[in-house]
Amino acid sequence: MAEVRSFIDLRAFAASVEAPATGDYRSARVSLPLAEGPCSVELLALDGAAGSDAGLPGDEFVIVLAGSLRLGEVMLETDACAVIPSGVAFDWQAAPGTRALAMRYAIEKPAADRIVLIDESAALTPSNPPLAELLVGPTPSCRNHTDYLSSDGVVICGTWDSTPYHRTAMRYRHHELMHLLNGSVTFRDETGASRTFGKGDIFLLEHGAMCSWDSQENVKKVYAIWRPVVA
């Protein structure tokens, strides 16, 4: 029987696992169980440590859960996030008790030569609403700002907002990590399980999940999407 893909509360995941003894940036990690592929999600336990890295084997989106983390010249306080492009060398330093989440996509060619901060205050421009055939009720007004797009267009990270809307279930063709900055949204998967996420929550919609969306208020989120190319 195929495993059902769904939504995953990433703060709950981080709280439920035993963090490794702190080590270097690459080793002090616990992986979230996901289907095998070029995209992974991991908890980083960087408790007051520091070091340097000659360049990661992929683009990595990082969001700080607790503490603070300096990546090169970019300082991330709690809930702040950035993208480390593949192969970009950096030094790093973490405050005591620092925990972060990392979503990495294995790719060789970077799309930038420096660490890219996700700007939550960036001006948003109109973007496409959900497909009309999936909507229940009025079409929402959606806006977006893209901070990072991988060199092959498979990973996109940025900020998005929308007026309220209800969308029937669709099959997610991507992993999407979301951090809600405002509002709330309820998801229901194909088993009937549902969960409402609100401001401050960090969660993942898995590639292959069949989920609906219902937001009764304006929503704003930071997102990191891995959408594989379909042959």
Side-chain angles (χ1 to χ4, degrees), residues 62-64 67-71 74-78 80-82 117:
V62 182
I63 182 167
V64 175
S68 62
L69 176 61
R70 181 181 60 80
L71 299 170
V74 174
M75 187 67 188
L76 300 179
E77 302 294 343
T78 300
C81 45
L117 181 69

Side-chain angles (χ1 to χ4, degrees), residues 208-227:
M210 186 74 176
C211 289
S212 62
W213 166 295
D214 189 5
S215 55
Q216 299 297 316
E217 55 186 328
N218 290 356
V219 168
K220 184 176 183 180
K221 67 182 181 182
V222 166
Y223 63 86
I225 292 173
W226 167 72
R227 180 178 286 111

Side-chain angles (χ1 to χ4, degrees), residues 7-146:
F7 43 79
I8 300 173
D9 183 334
L10 294 179
R11 288 195 188 274
F13 160 69
S16 68
V17 298
E18 182 177 353
T22 191
D24 64 32
Y25 186 86
R26 297 199 193 196
S27 65
R29 297 174 175 235
V30 178
S31 295
L32 177 71
L34 293 173
E36 186 176 352
C39 185
S40 60
V41 176
E42 297 175 308
L43 169 68
L44 282 64
L46 303 170
D47 191 4
S52 60
D53 197 291
L56 300 175
D59 291 344
E60 183 161 281
F61 171 89
V62 182
I63 182 167
V64 175
L65 298 175
S68 62
L69 176 61
R70 181 181 60 80
L71 299 170
E73 298 180 354
V74 174
M75 187 67 188
L76 300 179
E77 302 294 343
T78 300
D79 290 341
C81 45
V83 177
I84 307 171
S86 178
V88 171
F90 63 98
D91 58 350
W92 59 274
Q93 183 172 14
T98 295
R99 297 290 183 269
L101 290 165
M103 180 173 169
R104 184 187 294 176
Y105 167 52
I107 185 175
E108 291 186 5
K109 183 180 179 182
D113 60 2
R114 59 180 177 79
I115 294 171
V116 178
L117 181 69
I118 303 299
D119 183 4
E120 297 176 5
S121 63
L124 305 179
T125 58
S127 61
N128 293 332
L131 293 174
E133 58 265 32
L134 297 177
L135 287 171
V136 179
T139 300
S141 296
C142 303
R143 302 184 301 170
N144 178 71
H145 174 78
T146 299

Side-chain angles (χ1 to χ4, degrees), residues 149-163:
L149 180 67
S150 64
S151 58
D152 61 358
V154 167
V155 165
I156 182 170
C157 306
T159 309
W160 174 92
D161 73 4
S162 176
T163 55

